[in-house]
Amino acid sequence: MGASTAINDAGQVVGYSRSTPHGFFWQPGSAVVSIAALPNTDAAIPRDVNMSVVVVGHASSGTASLAFIWDAVEGTRYLGDLRNAGSGSSAFALNDDGYVVGNSASSQGVSSAFIWHASFGMQDLNLLIDSADPMSGTFRIFSALDINNSGQIVAQGLVDGDARQHSFLLTPVPEARTYVLMLVGLLFVAAISRLRATGATRRNLRA
């Protein structure tokens, strides 16, 4: 028994098997390729695959999940976590530019949404919120669930004083050689930090 979890536009599929726990990659006309788990973890659970056949997901390690990225050349690698302590992370999606989103235990010990790229590593989306924004400090994004090729991110979070989960859309807005990520909640709009086009440098954003 098992499950297929994602498919890309080329019809390439990822998933996992429960009977002999392991993740897999399959494409039409080819044999199934096993996706190895991280060291000292159970089976890798793939969650998404892009058009470059890069796969992301998580592997279980005791009570924690560890986010991974896989390709046929470099195999399975750990993406890390926001606490740098092996305290838990899960990757849910990536786009064709290699930007990965998910959630992780943060330095404050709570779940936070992250974005990861090979050029800058893992960043907490909550820490990219501009302190000058009027909504700063009144909400928390705890999980980023998907990202498209335009860089738009869908996420879940909480607004202060409201126990209900809210859905958010983060949209990168081109401005000169930078991007402004605009956080669109159900009830408000807030700006979060500006990144250079390379994604390697973080800059402050005016409200």
Side-chain angles (χ1 to χ4, degrees), residues 63-66 78 80-89 104-107 109-110:
T63 59
S65 292
L66 304 179
Y78 178 44
D81 64 81
L82 293 170
R83 298 182 72 180
N84 296 315
S87 54
S89 56
S104 170
S106 71
S107 58
V110 297

Side-chain angles (χ1 to χ4, degrees), residues 1-2 16-24 34-35 43-44:
M1 297 292 292
Y16 62 95
S17 169
R18 292 191 182 96
S19 55
T20 54
H22 69 277
F24 67 81
S34 180
I35 296 176

Side-chain angles (χ1 to χ4, degrees), residues 87-179:
S87 54
S89 56
S90 297
F92 297 132
L94 81 165
N95 66 15
D96 290 336
D97 292 322
Y99 289 90
V100 181
V101 296
N103 68 10
S104 170
S106 71
S107 58
Q108 290 77 36
V110 297
S111 181
S112 290
F114 74 75
I115 185 167
W116 179 96
H117 191 267
S119 64
F120 57 77
M122 186 178 289
Q123 295 192 24
D124 187 334
L125 289 177
N126 292 283
L127 299 183
L128 300 180
I129 298 169
D130 179 19
S131 60
D133 190 277
M135 295 303 300
S136 176
T138 66
F139 56 88
R140 180 173 64 85
I141 310 167
F142 57 75
S143 188
L145 301 177
D146 204 359
I147 182 169
N148 66 17
N149 287 335
S150 297
Q152 293 177 304
I153 299 168
V154 289
Q156 290 181 317
L158 297 172
V159 177
D160 289 356
D162 188 347
R164 297 171 299 173
Q165 294 184 11
H166 291 261
S167 296
F168 301 90
L169 172 66
L170 292 80
T171 300
V173 180
E175 181 180 348
R177 295 179 57 211
T178 67
Y179 285 93

Side-chain angles (χ1 to χ4, degrees), residues 10-13 26-31:
Q12 297 164 317
V13 177
W26 175 87
Q27 60 184 347
S30 298

Side-chain angles (χ1 to χ4, degrees), residues 3-8 11-16 24-26 46-50 55-56 92 94:
S4 298
T5 53
I7 185 171
N8 65 17
Q12 297 164 317
V13 177
V14 293
Y16 62 95
F24 67 81
F25 164 77
W26 175 87
R47 292 298 182 189
D48 203 9
V49 56
N50 69 11
V55 178
V56 296
F92 297 132
L94 81 165

Side-chain angles (χ1 to χ4, degrees), residues 36-71:
L38 293 166
N40 302 315
T41 68
D42 299 330
I45 307 297
R47 292 298 182 189
D48 203 9
V49 56
N50 69 11
M51 290 296 290
S52 297
V53 193
V54 179
V55 178
V56 296
H58 68 270
S60 176
S61 174
T63 59
S65 292
L66 304 179
F68 74 82
I69 189 167
W70 175 93
D71 64 58

